[in-house]
Amino acid sequence: MNPFEFSVQHESDTARAGRFATPHGVVDTPAFMAVGTLATVKSLDPIDLREMGAQMILGNAYHLHLRPGDELIRDFGGLHRFMGWDGPILTDSGGFQVFSLEGLRTVSEDGVEFRSHIDGSKHVFTPESVMQIERNLGADVIMQFDHVIPGQSDEATARDASERSVRWLARCLAELERLQAGGPPPKNTITNFPALPGTTFPLPAPSHPQALFPIVQGGIHDALRIDAARRIRELGDWPGFGIGGLSVGEAKPDMYRILEVVDGELPRDRPRYLMGVGFPEDLVEAVRRGVDLFDCVAPTRMGRNGAAFTSDGRLNIKRAEFRTDPRPLDEACDCSACRRFSRAYVRHLFTSDEILGLRLLSLHNVHFLVRLMRDARDAIRAGTLDAWSRDWLTRYHIRPVPTA
Amino acid sequence: MNPFEFSVQHESDTARAGRFATPHGVVDTPAFMAVGTLATVKSLDPIDLREMGAQMILGNAYHLHLRPGDELIRDFGGLHRFMGWDGPILTDSGGFQVFSLEGLRTVSEDGVEFRSHIDGSKHVFTPESVMQIERNLGADVIMQFDHVIPGQSDEATARDASERSVRWLARCLAELERLQAGGPPPKNTITNFPALPGTTFPLPAPSHPQALFPIVQGGIHDALRIDAARRIRELGDWPGFGIGGLSVGEAKPDMYRILEVVDGELPRDRPRYLMGVGFPEDLVEAVRRGVDLFDCVAPTRMGRNGAAFTSDGRLNIKRAEFRTDPRPLDEACDCSACRRFSRAYVRHLFTSDEILGLRLLSLHNVHFLVRLMRDARDAIRAGTLDAWSRDWLTRYHIRPVPTA
């Protein structure tokens, strides 16, 4: 039995509604994954996530390696146990973070040497070391370590990085297989405390299967994207695919076109994960183009700045017009915030720098995207995804972008 | 039927377990009230409070008058509805805040003229205007506007302020009765929005009965405290009593002695509310001396700084010794944080400036005090309050202070 079985249940044009199995539960797709970079989805409790129907979340290997350390998390039985979320988790390798450090890093064929953004200490990430980190964390889906480049890179730079990423993918796979075939994990050093009720220390390191997803790069160059997809597929029968290097400053029509290109190059019976995307309209357009999984910090980061997603577009709750507004953030929303609080109250919280304001907006925004994907699944099952998405985008004040 | 009926159900020496009725529910006393200054208990959701068994919370008239405004809250149906807490609420008059503004205020027999700490705008608080504010907010119990002085004040200063407070109490009562006898409240200006589901705008202003509590002042001068209590009782049959001006820098033995003095002067069949107290050990010592209600920002404020109350004393979660500690904050605690998260995880959250860390520690600390008072009630009912409190203080590493 394939622990990462993916089955497409319904199709509506190029959109799909599917089921993705993992060792920690099944995910109905398309699905939005809230970002829990540092073992917490900022301001939210795992209970909040469960209650809103969030199915899967994301952690980050770069950040967790630095703080609190992947070995510590391993000794606590892995990321699921450490952070109190027992559903599916995906970890990003940290490629994006490492390559964003600019002057603090040096790239070679071997890997990347960089300085921590926290304390300036030197670190080296290679495909092999990142696999070790991600194995220690014990997520269900782990992303390859890839060479990330700026969004406006020329074709030569994009080609170089894309081809390196494929070479690094092969090294990731080899290391992962080596680790999985290897002996028991290192001895847990945490043995000198009384056991937590119901647990026995030392806790076993995570040992469930993990799915390695490659990442298709290539910028906004169609030929590079096609080439990358084909090279990646030659290396193996991957359980799923990441689509990287989009929503990094390119024009929306370019992003959507690349999704159509990639959709044609990836197997239909594997989940496609569009990394770092995105705003509600991006999710809708990408679902139309065959994407199954998403992640983005926008709902929580923008939420902490007062931005709320609503059915009628985005609003900023700090605006004076909301001072006496008795309506919920979004009248069509059934989240815990919209069922109980007025815009006036949430605005008051923001004006007063109250933490509950950050919680409520983050909760609402994540719920909004989770629910948006649920509605998309319903529309796909009903065969009405195209009409639903056009109506949705129109109401949200975005002109739909025609598919090819 | 007295809407603020208080009945003592059990006594154990001078400690009492009672039931205090309010228009929004009954409170089993002794009880700790979490502080929701700006219409939110910092970082916590009303649902968190309900789940931990919190019975009553506190709001602040000074802060809410400035932001978002007591008239706005009135137009939203009052503080209960605005903030989503339908249990008992007490509002402090803001005396402490106004008198803490130092150079920004002028005191006269009429009231206090001060400048807002937010934007420097001029405001005047009189006993009459504060009653109007507290009526607009619609709390169940409302505190008088009193003349608050620094903790180390000499006897002459303390006498002057205490006598003025009694004169202001009479004016508060007169104004409250005038407002209660008056006509309908001003027309609600919020009428130009669709109604929230299940509500009809304009919402009625709060109109339930409110209990005015006087505040016994007098510093650490026994004679002044006795005098204040007697003058206050001459003015009426009050539904309950606030004990102010303690835990403001005086020595603990002085505070406890004053509580014993006041306990002897106040009717036993009325709730006694010790304002702004306190740390766990203060609650225990005060319960021994006949106090029924408490409030303090310590659990939330100190929680946001990493301090956690535990059965074995206080700890600071940021300390390196907790980096790999798998135990909950307090092994004897059954709160939502202690049931799920290790000290190592909570420390990681604090180290990483994560909001969930603030939430979990605030939740744990408030739960701790709520639970402490529940345990005190159980001990009083069993007639074992004295032994229980000594054992508790010893375990918490505090030497019990003998009662007179």
Side-chain angles (χ1 to χ4, degrees), chain A residues 46-84:
Chain A
I47 289 176
D48 298 330
L49 296 169
R50 276 287 178 220
E51 288 180 347
M52 72 172 67
Q55 302 179 79
M56 188 167 183
I57 63 175
L58 181 142
N60 189 278
Y62 164 81
H63 286 286
L64 292 171
H65 170 69
L66 295 180
R67 280 196 301 207
D70 51 288
E71 290 178 342
L72 182 145
I73 291 176
R74 177 200 65 209
D75 288 348
F76 269 75
L79 184 56
H80 292 84
R81 296 193 76 144
F82 187 61
M83 70 177 291

Short mmCIF file of all heavy atoms in Angstrom, two decimals, chain A residues 46-84:
data_model
loop_
_atom_site.label_atom_id
_atom_site.label_comp_id
_atom_site.label_asym_id
_atom_site.label_seq_id
_atom_site.Cartn_x
_atom_site.Cartn_y
_atom_site.Cartn_z
N PRO A 46 -2.82 24.89 17.28
CA PRO A 46 -3.25 23.76 16.44
C PRO A 46 -4.75 23.49 16.57
O PRO A 46 -5.38 23.07 15.59
CB PRO A 46 -2.43 22.59 16.99
CG PRO A 46 -1.20 23.21 17.54
CD PRO A 46 -1.63 24.55 18.08
N ILE A 47 -5.32 23.75 17.73
CA ILE A 47 -6.76 23.56 17.90
C ILE A 47 -7.54 24.51 16.98
O ILE A 47 -8.56 24.13 16.39
CB ILE A 47 -7.16 23.75 19.37
CG1 ILE A 47 -6.64 22.57 20.21
CG2 ILE A 47 -8.66 23.92 19.53
CD1 ILE A 47 -6.88 22.70 21.70
N ASP A 48 -7.09 25.75 16.86
CA ASP A 48 -7.72 26.69 15.91
C ASP A 48 -7.72 26.09 14.51
O ASP A 48 -8.71 26.18 13.77
CB ASP A 48 -6.95 28.01 15.86
CG ASP A 48 -6.90 28.75 17.18
OD1 ASP A 48 -7.85 28.63 17.97
OD2 ASP A 48 -5.90 29.46 17.42
N LEU A 49 -6.57 25.51 14.13
CA LEU A 49 -6.43 24.97 12.78
C LEU A 49 -7.39 23.79 12.57
O LEU A 49 -8.04 23.68 11.54
CB LEU A 49 -4.99 24.54 12.54
CG LEU A 49 -3.97 25.69 12.59
CD1 LEU A 49 -2.54 25.15 12.60
CD2 LEU A 49 -4.16 26.63 11.40
N ARG A 50 -7.45 22.92 13.55
CA ARG A 50 -8.36 21.77 13.42
C ARG A 50 -9.79 22.25 13.28
O ARG A 50 -10.55 21.76 12.44
CB ARG A 50 -8.26 20.89 14.68
CG ARG A 50 -7.14 19.90 14.65
CD ARG A 50 -7.41 18.76 13.71
NE ARG A 50 -6.30 17.81 13.65
CZ ARG A 50 -5.88 17.24 12.53
NH1 ARG A 50 -6.46 17.52 11.38
NH2 ARG A 50 -4.88 16.40 12.58
N GLU A 51 -10.17 23.21 14.12
CA GLU A 51 -11.57 23.66 14.13
C GLU A 51 -11.98 24.31 12.82
O GLU A 51 -13.15 24.24 12.44
CB GLU A 51 -11.81 24.62 15.30
CG GLU A 51 -11.81 23.90 16.63
CD GLU A 51 -12.04 24.81 17.82
OE1 GLU A 51 -11.96 26.05 17.67
OE2 GLU A 51 -12.30 24.27 18.92
N MET A 52 -11.04 24.90 12.13
CA MET A 52 -11.42 25.56 10.88
C MET A 52 -11.34 24.60 9.71
O MET A 52 -11.65 24.97 8.59
CB MET A 52 -10.53 26.78 10.64
CG MET A 52 -9.12 26.43 10.26
SD MET A 52 -8.13 27.85 9.74
CE MET A 52 -7.98 28.78 11.24
N GLY A 53 -10.92 23.36 9.97
CA GLY A 53 -10.85 22.39 8.89
C GLY A 53 -9.54 22.40 8.11
O GLY A 53 -9.47 21.84 7.02
N ALA A 54 -8.50 23.03 8.67
CA ALA A 54 -7.20 22.97 8.02
C ALA A 54 -6.75 21.51 8.03
O ALA A 54 -6.88 20.82 9.04
CB ALA A 54 -6.19 23.84 8.76
N GLN A 55 -6.21 21.05 6.90
CA GLN A 55 -5.87 19.63 6.79
C GLN A 55 -4.37 19.37 6.89
O GLN A 55 -3.97 18.28 7.32
CB GLN A 55 -6.33 19.09 5.43
CG GLN A 55 -7.83 19.25 5.19
CD GLN A 55 -8.18 18.71 3.81
OE1 GLN A 55 -8.30 17.50 3.63
NE2 GLN A 55 -8.33 19.60 2.84
N MET A 56 -3.57 20.34 6.49
CA MET A 56 -2.13 20.12 6.38
C MET A 56 -1.44 21.44 6.61
O MET A 56 -1.97 22.50 6.26
CB MET A 56 -1.83 19.58 4.98
CG MET A 56 -0.40 19.12 4.74
SD MET A 56 -0.32 18.14 3.18
CE MET A 56 1.44 17.65 3.21
N ILE A 57 -0.26 21.39 7.22
CA ILE A 57 0.48 22.63 7.44
C ILE A 57 1.93 22.45 7.00
O ILE A 57 2.37 21.36 6.65
CB ILE A 57 0.44 23.08 8.91
CG1 ILE A 57 1.13 22.03 9.81
CG2 ILE A 57 -0.99 23.33 9.37
CD1 ILE A 57 1.23 22.47 11.25
N LEU A 58 2.66 23.56 7.03
CA LEU A 58 4.02 23.57 6.50
C LEU A 58 4.98 24.05 7.56
O LEU A 58 4.65 24.96 8.33
CB LEU A 58 4.04 24.50 5.28
CG LEU A 58 5.31 24.70 4.51
CD1 LEU A 58 4.94 24.80 3.03
CD2 LEU A 58 6.01 25.96 4.90
N GLY A 59 6.15 23.45 7.60
CA GLY A 59 7.23 23.92 8.46
C GLY A 59 8.44 24.20 7.59
O GLY A 59 8.48 23.86 6.41
N ASN A 60 9.47 24.82 8.17
CA ASN A 60 10.63 25.21 7.37
C ASN A 60 11.93 24.68 7.97
O ASN A 60 12.27 24.97 9.11
CB ASN A 60 10.67 26.73 7.26
CG ASN A 60 11.73 27.19 6.28
OD1 ASN A 60 12.91 27.27 6.62
ND2 ASN A 60 11.30 27.46 5.05
N ALA A 61 12.65 23.92 7.15
CA ALA A 61 13.85 23.25 7.64
C ALA A 61 14.96 24.23 8.00
O ALA A 61 15.69 24.04 8.98
CB ALA A 61 14.36 22.26 6.59
N TYR A 62 15.10 25.28 7.22
CA TYR A 62 16.14 26.28 7.53
C TYR A 62 15.89 26.88 8.90
O TYR A 62 16.77 26.87 9.77
CB TYR A 62 16.13 27.36 6.45
CG TYR A 62 16.87 28.63 6.83
CD1 TYR A 62 18.25 28.70 6.73
CD2 TYR A 62 16.18 29.75 7.31
CE1 TYR A 62 18.95 29.85 7.09
CE2 TYR A 62 16.87 30.90 7.67
CZ TYR A 62 18.24 30.95 7.56
OH TYR A 62 18.91 32.08 7.93
N HIS A 63 14.67 27.38 9.12
CA HIS A 63 14.37 28.06 10.38
C HIS A 63 14.44 27.11 11.57
O HIS A 63 14.97 27.46 12.63
CB HIS A 63 13.01 28.74 10.30
CG HIS A 63 13.01 29.99 9.47
ND1 HIS A 63 13.58 31.16 9.91
CD2 HIS A 63 12.54 30.24 8.22
CE1 HIS A 63 13.45 32.10 8.98
NE2 HIS A 63 12.83 31.56 7.94
N LEU A 64 13.91 25.92 11.41
CA LEU A 64 13.89 24.98 12.53
C LEU A 64 15.28 24.41 12.83
O LEU A 64 15.57 24.04 13.96
CB LEU A 64 12.89 23.86 12.27
CG LEU A 64 11.43 24.33 12.27
CD1 LEU A 64 10.50 23.21 11.79
CD2 LEU A 64 11.01 24.79 13.67
N HIS A 65 16.12 24.34 11.80
CA HIS A 65 17.50 23.91 12.02
C HIS A 65 18.22 24.91 12.92
O HIS A 65 18.99 24.54 13.81
CB HIS A 65 18.22 23.79 10.68
CG HIS A 65 19.70 23.58 10.79
ND1 HIS A 65 20.25 22.40 11.28
CD2 HIS A 65 20.75 24.38 10.49
CE1 HIS A 65 21.57 22.50 11.27
NE2 HIS A 65 21.90 23.68 10.79
N LEU A 66 17.95 26.20 12.70
CA LEU A 66 18.59 27.24 13.51
C LEU A 66 17.96 27.34 14.89
O LEU A 66 18.65 27.52 15.89
CB LEU A 66 18.51 28.59 12.79
CG LEU A 66 19.28 28.70 11.47
CD1 LEU A 66 19.11 30.09 10.87
CD2 LEU A 66 20.77 28.39 11.67
N ARG A 67 16.64 27.26 14.92
CA ARG A 67 15.90 27.39 16.19
C ARG A 67 14.66 26.55 16.14
O ARG A 67 13.85 26.77 15.24
CB ARG A 67 15.46 28.84 16.41
CG ARG A 67 16.46 29.78 16.90
CD ARG A 67 15.82 31.07 17.45
NE ARG A 67 15.01 31.81 16.49
CZ ARG A 67 14.82 33.12 16.56
NH1 ARG A 67 15.38 33.82 17.52
NH2 ARG A 67 14.05 33.72 15.69
N PRO A 68 14.45 25.61 17.07
CA PRO A 68 15.29 25.28 18.21
C PRO A 68 16.37 24.25 17.88
O PRO A 68 17.12 23.84 18.76
CB PRO A 68 14.28 24.67 19.18
CG PRO A 68 13.32 23.96 18.29
CD PRO A 68 13.20 24.83 17.06
N GLY A 69 16.43 23.84 16.61
CA GLY A 69 17.36 22.79 16.20
C GLY A 69 16.60 21.53 15.82
O GLY A 69 15.69 21.12 16.55
N ASP A 70 16.96 20.96 14.67
CA ASP A 70 16.24 19.76 14.22
C ASP A 70 16.55 18.55 15.08
O ASP A 70 15.71 17.67 15.25
CB ASP A 70 16.54 19.47 12.74
CG ASP A 70 18.02 19.45 12.45
OD1 ASP A 70 18.65 20.53 12.45
OD2 ASP A 70 18.56 18.35 12.17
N GLU A 71 17.75 18.51 15.67
CA GLU A 71 18.07 17.37 16.53
C GLU A 71 17.24 17.41 17.81
O GLU A 71 16.78 16.38 18.30
CB GLU A 71 19.58 17.33 16.83
CG GLU A 71 20.38 16.98 15.58
CD GLU A 71 21.87 16.99 15.83
OE1 GLU A 71 22.32 17.57 16.84
OE2 GLU A 71 22.59 16.41 14.99
N LEU A 72 17.02 18.61 18.35
CA LEU A 72 16.18 18.71 19.54
C LEU A 72 14.76 18.25 19.20
O LEU A 72 14.14 17.49 19.95
CB LEU A 72 16.17 20.14 20.08
CG LEU A 72 15.34 20.35 21.34
CD1 LEU A 72 16.01 21.40 22.23
CD2 LEU A 72 13.93 20.78 21.04
N ILE A 73 14.28 18.67 18.05
CA ILE A 73 12.92 18.27 17.66
C ILE A 73 12.86 16.76 17.47
O ILE A 73 11.90 16.10 17.88
CB ILE A 73 12.48 19.04 16.41
CG1 ILE A 73 12.27 20.52 16.77
CG2 ILE A 73 11.22 18.44 15.80
CD1 ILE A 73 11.92 21.42 15.60
N ARG A 74 13.90 16.19 16.85
CA ARG A 74 13.95 14.74 16.71
C ARG A 74 13.86 14.08 18.07
O ARG A 74 13.11 13.12 18.27
CB ARG A 74 15.24 14.32 16.01
CG ARG A 74 15.43 12.81 15.89
CD ARG A 74 16.89 12.48 15.65
NE ARG A 74 17.70 12.85 16.80
CZ ARG A 74 18.99 13.20 16.73
NH1 ARG A 74 19.61 13.23 15.57
NH2 ARG A 74 19.65 13.51 17.82
N ASP A 75 14.64 14.60 19.04
CA ASP A 75 14.64 14.00 20.38
C ASP A 75 13.30 14.17 21.09
O ASP A 75 13.03 13.47 22.08
CB ASP A 75 15.76 14.59 21.22
CG ASP A 75 17.13 14.11 20.76
OD1 ASP A 75 17.18 13.16 19.94
OD2 ASP A 75 18.14 14.66 21.19
N PHE A 76 12.49 15.08 20.62
CA PHE A 76 11.14 15.23 21.18
C PHE A 76 10.12 14.44 20.37
O PHE A 76 8.92 14.67 20.48
CB PHE A 76 10.75 16.71 21.25
CG PHE A 76 11.13 17.34 22.55
CD1 PHE A 76 12.46 17.66 22.83
CD2 PHE A 76 10.17 17.58 23.53
CE1 PHE A 76 12.82 18.22 24.06
CE2 PHE A 76 10.52 18.14 24.75
CZ PHE A 76 11.85 18.46 25.02
N GLY A 77 10.64 13.52 19.54
CA GLY A 77 9.74 12.66 18.80
C GLY A 77 9.31 13.22 17.46
O GLY A 77 8.43 12.67 16.81
N GLY A 78 9.90 14.34 17.04
CA GLY A 78 9.59 14.90 15.74
C GLY A 78 8.68 16.12 15.82
O GLY A 78 8.09 16.42 16.88
N LEU A 79 8.52 16.78 14.70
CA LEU A 79 7.81 18.05 14.66
C LEU A 79 6.34 17.90 15.04
O LEU A 79 5.79 18.75 15.74
CB LEU A 79 7.94 18.63 13.24
CG LEU A 79 7.36 20.02 12.99
CD1 LEU A 79 7.93 21.04 13.96
CD2 LEU A 79 7.66 20.44 11.54
N HIS A 80 5.69 16.82 14.61
CA HIS A 80 4.28 16.65 14.95
C HIS A 80 4.09 16.71 16.47
O HIS A 80 3.25 17.45 16.99
CB HIS A 80 3.76 15.30 14.45
CG HIS A 80 3.68 15.16 12.96
ND1 HIS A 80 4.75 14.81 12.17
CD2 HIS A 80 2.62 15.34 12.11
CE1 HIS A 80 4.36 14.76 10.90
NE2 HIS A 80 3.08 15.08 10.83
N ARG A 81 4.86 15.94 17.19
CA ARG A 81 4.72 15.88 18.64
C ARG A 81 5.15 17.18 19.29
O ARG A 81 4.52 17.67 20.22
CB ARG A 81 5.53 14.73 19.22
CG ARG A 81 5.07 13.37 18.74
CD ARG A 81 5.69 12.27 19.56
NE ARG A 81 5.03 12.18 20.86
CZ ARG A 81 4.80 11.05 21.50
NH1 ARG A 81 5.15 9.90 20.95
NH2 ARG A 81 4.24 11.06 22.68
N PHE A 82 6.23 17.74 18.81
CA PHE A 82 6.78 18.94 19.42
C PHE A 82 5.79 20.09 19.39
O PHE A 82 5.62 20.82 20.36
CB PHE A 82 8.08 19.33 18.69
CG PHE A 82 8.85 20.46 19.31
CD1 PHE A 82 9.36 20.34 20.60
CD2 PHE A 82 9.11 21.62 18.60
CE1 PHE A 82 10.09 21.37 21.17
CE2 PHE A 82 9.85 22.65 19.17
CZ PHE A 82 10.34 22.53 20.45
N MET A 83 5.11 20.26 18.25
CA MET A 83 4.22 21.39 18.08
C MET A 83 2.74 21.05 18.31
O MET A 83 1.89 21.93 18.18
CB MET A 83 4.41 22.04 16.70
CG MET A 83 3.93 21.20 15.54
SD MET A 83 4.12 22.09 13.92
CE MET A 83 2.85 23.38 14.11
N GLY A 84 2.46 19.79 18.59
CA GLY A 84 1.07 19.46 18.92
C GLY A 84 0.11 19.43 17.75
O GLY A 84 -1.09 19.69 17.92
#
